[in-house]
Amino acid sequence: MGDDLGDEWWAHENKSDASDAEEETQQQKESTEKGPKNTKAKPEKRKSVTEGTVKAKKKKNNEQKVSNIPPKKETEDDKSTKPKRKRKKTITDVLASSEPKPGCPADLQDMVTQYFSDKRSVIEQEELALQDSGFLSCNDLTHTLSSYLKQVCPKWSKIQKQHKETSSVVLLIVCSSALRAIELLKQMTAFKGEAKAVKLFAKHIKIEEQVKLLQKGVTHVGVGTPGRISALIEKDGLSLKALKYVVLDWNWRDQKLRRMVDVPEVKLDFMKLLENGILNGCKEDKVKIGLF
């Protein structure tokens, strides 16, 4: 009986050990199966996150590249297909393509007729017509101012001595600007001799100062712009009673190749000056006009 009890205990222990071993084996198997699965899942997750990040970066970089691409420049073909605007010809273009031509009495007469065509009646326009006798010989572009004045005013020495009136001049030279007036004053030194000349322009000189200067003593020559000369006549600061010669700086051209009468503002002042007594003096044969 004791042997039977020992056998049962031994069998029970063996069974228990076998069960424990089997359970341990099962746990190892499960852990082995779970291990690879877990190790595989983690890299796949990383891979998906990495791919998503790379795609997002690529998309962002592509968007930046697109935004940084400069606008497409027009090719020569594109430009040629567009209709070109025709640039309007200016006075400078016209004059640059033509040879310098000295002015003549007909040029002044045509300009006067055209200007007054819509401002005067037909009868009044006929009264504005100037005779050839009202003009001095014109500059043929070979003269300096002094040589020209000597030609058209051969008795200048006698004329200047006879002139005794204040607020008046015998010779009036009309030009487009103050700078040009100063230049002309320098050019006529050889001609004027002891005659007194005065600047008649607005730059840096008040009109009241010029009126006082003309009243102060006898002045023989006035050189200036049509706007200021006209204003002096209207204010009775300058009288035309003693005036004999009006010389127009007709042929000179500025940097844009414009003559005095090609500048709209100057032309308007010039026509006003002609109206303020110059044309009447020519018609009465008291004043003669020269185109320098």
Side-chain angles (χ1 to χ4, degrees):
M1 184 176 178
D3 293 335
D4 292 337
L5 287 170
D7 293 338
E8 286 179 6
W9 176 85
W10 185 85
H12 178 71
E13 287 294 322
N14 285 341
K15 187 177 180 181
S16 178
D17 292 340
S19 177
D20 291 340
E22 185 179 351
E23 186 177 350
E24 187 177 349
T25 306
Q26 184 67 26
Q27 287 177 356
Q28 288 176 354
K29 186 178 180 182
E30 286 178 0
S31 64
T32 306
E33 288 176 356
K34 285 179 181 179
K37 285 182 183 178
N38 290 338
T39 53
K40 285 181 182 177
K42 284 179 183 178
E44 285 176 1
K45 191 172 182 182
R46 276 199 208 96
K47 186 179 179 182
S48 63
V49 171
T50 307
E51 286 178 355
T53 307
V54 171
K55 285 180 180 178
K57 284 183 178 179
K58 282 184 178 179
K59 186 177 180 183
K60 188 176 180 182
N61 290 336
N62 288 336
E63 287 176 354
Q64 288 178 348
K65 284 179 182 178
V66 170
S67 63
N68 291 333
I69 293 174
K72 187 180 177 182
K73 291 183 179 180
E74 287 185 351
T75 61
E76 292 298 326
D77 293 336
D78 294 335
K79 289 180 181 178
S80 61
T81 54
K82 288 185 178 181
K84 291 183 179 179
R85 285 187 180 179
K86 250 189 176 181
R87 191 172 69 88
K88 192 175 180 181
K89 280 191 175 183
T90 63
I91 293 172
T92 305
D93 295 329
V94 174
L95 295 175
S97 61
S98 60
E99 290 293 326
K101 185 181 177 183
C104 63
D107 295 334
L108 178 59
Q109 187 63 68
D110 290 343
M111 189 182 72
V112 170
T113 303
Q114 186 178 0
Y115 178 80
F116 290 109
S117 61
D118 58 346
K119 299 176 180 62
R120 301 283 183 94
S121 66
V122 177
I123 296 173
E124 288 174 330
Q125 287 181 45
E126 288 177 357
E127 292 176 355
L128 294 173
L130 299 174
Q131 302 297 321
D132 291 340
S133 59
F135 289 93
L136 300 166
S137 61
C138 300
N139 179 19
D140 58 2
L141 304 182
T142 63
H143 285 284
T144 63
L145 182 58
S146 283
S147 68
Y148 175 72
L149 291 175
K150 285 178 180 179
Q151 178 183 325
V152 297
C153 308
K155 298 180 180 180
W156 174 249
S157 180
K158 183 180 178 181
I159 291 170
Q160 77 171 42
K161 287 177 181 178
Q162 290 176 344
H163 178 56
K164 303 293 182 183
E165 294 184 35
T166 59
S167 300
S168 182
V169 294
V170 180
L171 169 62
L172 196 56
I173 299 174
V174 185
C175 58
S176 59
S177 67
L179 289 174
R180 179 60 178 165
I182 293 170
E183 185 181 335
L184 290 174
L185 276 167
K186 291 176 182 178
Q187 288 183 19
M188 65 181 299
T189 304
F191 165 77
K192 72 182 182 68
E194 296 178 1
K196 184 179 178 182
V198 63
K199 302 169 188 173
L200 301 178
F201 50 75
K203 194 172 185 179
H204 307 312
I205 306 175
K206 293 180 180 179
I207 193 168
E208 292 79 14
E209 293 176 9
Q210 288 171 335
V211 171
K212 288 179 182 178
L213 184 62
L214 288 165
Q215 289 174 344
K216 194 174 181 180
V218 177
T219 305
H220 304 87
V221 183
V223 184
T225 56
R228 176 49 62 91
I229 295 170
S230 202
L232 285 165
I233 293 170
E234 289 174 358
K235 286 183 174 290
D236 294 325
L238 178 65
S239 171
L240 301 180
K241 288 180 181 179
L243 186 65
K244 293 183 179 297
Y245 306 107
V246 175
V247 173
L248 308 176
D249 190 27
W250 188 272
N251 298 302
W252 181 80
R253 300 183 187 279
D254 62 14
Q255 291 180 345
K256 295 182 179 180
L257 302 180
R258 299 174 302 178
R259 300 170 301 170
M260 175 178 69
V261 292
D262 292 326
V263 183
E265 301 83 9
V266 179
K267 180 181 177 179
L268 191 64
D269 289 336
F270 173 63
M271 299 309 296
K272 189 177 180 181
L273 174 60
L274 291 180
E275 282 187 282
N276 281 343
I278 304 295
L279 289 176
N280 286 337
C282 291
K283 285 186 69 65
E284 294 170 3
D285 204 24
K286 292 179 180 179
V287 178
K288 293 188 184 294
I289 297 176
L291 304 182
F292 172 65

